[in-house]
Amino acid sequence: MSISSLPKALRVLAKAKQVFALSRNPYPPSLRNGRVHQWFKWLAPGLLVKRWLLISASGVVLATLGLAIWTGMTPIFFLLQLLRNFLAWIAEIVPNYVSGPIVIAGGILLILWGQTRSLNSITQVLMPEGNEELVDRLLNHRRLHRGPKIVAIGGGTGLSNLLRGLKDYSAKITAIVTVADDGGSSGRLRREIGVLPPGDIRNCLAALADEEKLLTELFQYRFQAGDGLMGHSFGNLFLTAMSDIAGDLEQAIAASSKVLAVRGEVLPATLSDVSLWAELADGRRIEGESSITKANGKIIKIGCTPANPPALPKVAQALREADFMIIGPGSLYTSVIPNLLVPEIADAIANSEVPRIYVCNIMTQPGETDGYSVADHIRAIDRACGRPLFDAVVVQGKVPSAKALIRYSQENSYPVVLDREAVTQLGRRVVIANVMDEDENTGLIRHNSQRLAGMLLRWYGRAHNI
């Protein structure tokens, strides 16, 4: 690594201490800044605080009663007499209709003061950053842990983009990620060191982290110089080192998730060294994920070597326990389908009775899905798995702008057309939603994380109640 690249790397690494920053506050500033509102939040249901305070108060009363019984009530009697005389003396100086409310107000103020200082002391220890109230943190924690168990299946930027939105609705998220990548930094590490490709896993860990923006910057940092380091991302090297320390990629991801305060979990579809292959309409057989897209041919069949790789046991367990399954978005043949080539994953999805939905891509992908409609995407998944796996498909409703269409047409990419009748004949429900995000400067099109996640959770709520 050259000396010139060290300062930038150190600046990025220095920010890592902020990884444990707090998750976003769900309350508006007007509510968040009001001290009275903060006190009343402690009365909100589901915090599991009021019951323990009541139990503690009951314990004080019982202990006091036990002491009175043990001592024959003598100390209690004299204390009550002393208190009675003191209060009578106060009432002679200040009328009871004045002194009573004053004493009550003073007692309440002391209680509030003591509780506030106690909670502030706890907050300073648990949350030294001090940019969020403890009650807000507890409310958000309870809300997220009451969310459904969501399993998202895919890879590439599509899955990580979805996870950024889902983490605001549930803490019980499992991302199942393909390990068939053989290009770029991941491919080099795979060939040179023999580790499973960490690229897609890195993106998903960053997306599920509390301080996602900072972690993405850190994990996506690519070394610009240095023999052997140039082109590698920090996140890939981090996961590779953790794999060596922990023993395998699964343990490395688990350890990294704890260190990086990841919400949910990320699991590789399999620990087998999987390589993709595709048969094209012109008779060619293409080996390797990165070569399939570059071949620029119509894919008629896709598979992997070794065939029928075993699923990670935790993946099978997550699928069995899921409340909601989401497939995609992402590159059809190189991000979504590779996960489904693991028989246990496809079987678990097909046999599940929970709501299952596929998020179709907005634009076709050159070299993979040229000219594909929504029904073509569905047929490709059904053909690869030998059966239907999901109940509904999400389709973008609004057409991209003319600027974006021109930009993508130069790359032979066009909007995925909805052929509703064909989709219906395939036994799928069509869910049309405006979940597209378009960069005004570049014309780049992506799914909007928040809108997509919100729409999926609303659809899940309706499907779950049917």
Side-chain angles (χ1 to χ4, degrees):
M1 177 177 178
S2 69
I3 296 177
S4 62
S5 64
L6 273 174
K8 183 175 181 181
L10 292 175
R11 283 196 300 273
V12 176
L13 290 172
K15 295 182 181 179
K17 66 180 181 179
Q18 303 175 31
V19 163
F20 293 99
L22 305 175
S23 56
R24 268 171 274 173
N25 196 320
Y27 302 98
S30 60
L31 184 62
R32 188 169 63 244
N33 296 333
R35 177 56 56 186
V36 175
H37 286 297
Q38 294 298 335
W39 289 335
F40 275 107
K41 285 180 186 177
W42 288 103
L43 301 178
L47 278 181
L48 303 182
V49 171
K50 299 183 296 299
R51 68 189 68 179
W52 303 120
L53 290 176
L54 181 60
I55 289 175
S56 298
S58 301
V60 172
V61 172
L62 284 176
T64 305
L65 180 61
L67 179 63
I69 296 172
W70 190 14
T71 58
M73 291 291 290
T74 303
I76 302 297
F77 175 77
F78 281 114
L79 285 174
L80 291 175
Q81 284 292 103
L82 180 63
L83 180 61
R84 181 180 178 182
N85 293 335
F86 176 74
L87 292 177
W89 176 73
I90 291 292
E92 290 178 0
I93 300 175
V94 183
N96 58 355
Y97 60 83
V98 175
S99 58
I102 291 176
V103 173
I104 291 174
I108 293 174
L109 287 175
L110 286 175
I111 292 172
L112 293 177
W113 183 38
Q115 291 295 318
T116 301
R117 294 302 299 268
S118 299
L119 292 173
N120 285 344
S121 299
I122 297 172
T123 302
Q124 289 174 3
V125 174
L126 297 180
M127 301 176 342
E129 295 86 353
N131 59 351
E132 186 181 17
E133 291 285 346
L134 179 60
V135 63
D136 292 330
R137 184 81 178 269
L138 287 172
L139 284 169
N140 195 43
H141 175 81
R142 294 297 179 192
R143 177 180 63 84
L144 292 174
H145 281 78
R146 286 196 298 266
K149 294 180 180 179
I150 303 173
V151 174
I153 305 160
T157 57
L159 180 60
S160 59
N161 196 38
L162 171 63
L163 296 176
R164 289 187 185 95
L166 289 178
K167 72 178 182 182
D168 290 334
Y169 292 89
S170 177
K172 295 180 285 189
I173 301 171
T174 301
I176 300 177
V177 186
T178 177
V179 288
D181 188 10
D182 63 358
S185 171
S186 293
R188 286 172 57 191
L189 291 171
R190 184 175 183 177
R191 291 187 296 272
E192 295 171 7
I193 302 180
V195 297
L196 292 176
D200 288 348
I201 294 170
R202 173 200 78 212
N203 290 333
C204 292
L205 286 174
L208 287 174
D210 278 347
E211 189 61 23
E212 178 264 324
K213 186 176 183 298
L214 170 66
L215 195 59
T216 297
E217 180 183 353
L218 174 65
F219 266 35
Q220 301 293 68
Y221 173 78
R222 291 192 180 273
F223 295 93
Q224 303 299 319
D227 293 339
L229 281 179
M230 183 180 294
H232 280 303
S233 69
F234 171 80
N236 285 355
L237 296 179
F238 177 85
L239 285 173
T240 300
M242 286 296 291
S243 297
D244 190 39
I245 294 171
D248 61 36
L249 184 60
E250 180 186 5
Q251 298 302 320
I253 296 170
S256 302
S257 297
K258 293 178 181 178
V259 172
L260 302 172
V262 168
R263 190 180 301 166
E265 62 179 347
V266 180
L267 299 174
T270 178
L271 292 181
S272 298
D273 187 13
V274 174
S275 178
L276 287 182
W277 56 262
E279 293 180 1
L280 307 184
D282 58 12
R284 287 181 294 164
R285 180 185 170 97
I286 307 299
E287 301 281 349
E289 181 263 351
S290 59
S291 301
I292 292 174
T293 302
K294 296 176 184 177
N296 290 322
K298 183 178 180 180
I299 300 171
I300 59 174
K301 188 176 181 180
I302 192 164
C304 65
T305 304
N308 303 322
L312 200 68
K314 289 187 69 175
V315 166
Q317 179 183 356
L319 289 167
R320 286 193 302 269
E321 298 175 353
D323 298 318
F324 183 26
M325 296 182 186
I326 305 169
I327 301 173
S331 299
L332 179 63
Y333 286 105
T334 54
S335 292
V336 174
I337 289 180
N339 293 287
L340 308 177
L341 296 177
V342 179
E344 291 174 77
I345 293 179
D347 291 342
I349 298 173
N351 296 330
S352 177
E353 296 182 356
V354 305
R356 299 158 297 170
I357 194 167
Y358 167 58
V359 182
C360 190
N361 294 335
I362 299 173
M363 307 294 290
T364 61
Q365 185 171 354
E368 280 199 39
T369 57
D370 295 296
Y372 271 40
S373 66
V374 174
D376 290 329
H377 281 76
I378 297 172
R379 290 190 192 97
I381 296 175
D382 290 353
R383 187 166 55 246
C385 304
R387 76 205 103 168
L389 298 185
F390 48 86
D391 313 304
V393 56
V394 178
V395 181
Q396 166 62 24
K398 185 180 178 182
V399 178
S401 68
K403 179 180 179 180
L405 292 176
I406 293 172
R407 177 195 185 278
Y408 275 85
S409 65
Q410 294 172 350
E411 302 173 1
N412 294 320
S413 179
Y414 303 92
V416 176
V417 177
L418 170 60
D419 41 356
R420 185 188 292 270
E421 185 177 347
V423 173
T424 303
Q425 290 176 355
L426 291 171
R428 275 30 176 245
R429 288 179 301 221
V430 177
V431 181
I432 299 178
N434 291 320
V435 291
M436 180 181 67
D437 216 359
E438 183 178 324
D439 191 302
E440 294 181 357
N441 297 321
T442 64
L444 189 66
I445 293 173
R446 291 285 186 270
H447 282 97
N448 181 282
S449 301
Q450 297 300 322
R451 289 203 297 269
L452 178 60
M455 183 279 301
L456 288 170
L457 266 295
R458 288 192 298 272
W459 180 84
Y460 163 76
R462 292 191 297 269
H464 183 65
N465 292 325
I466 294 177

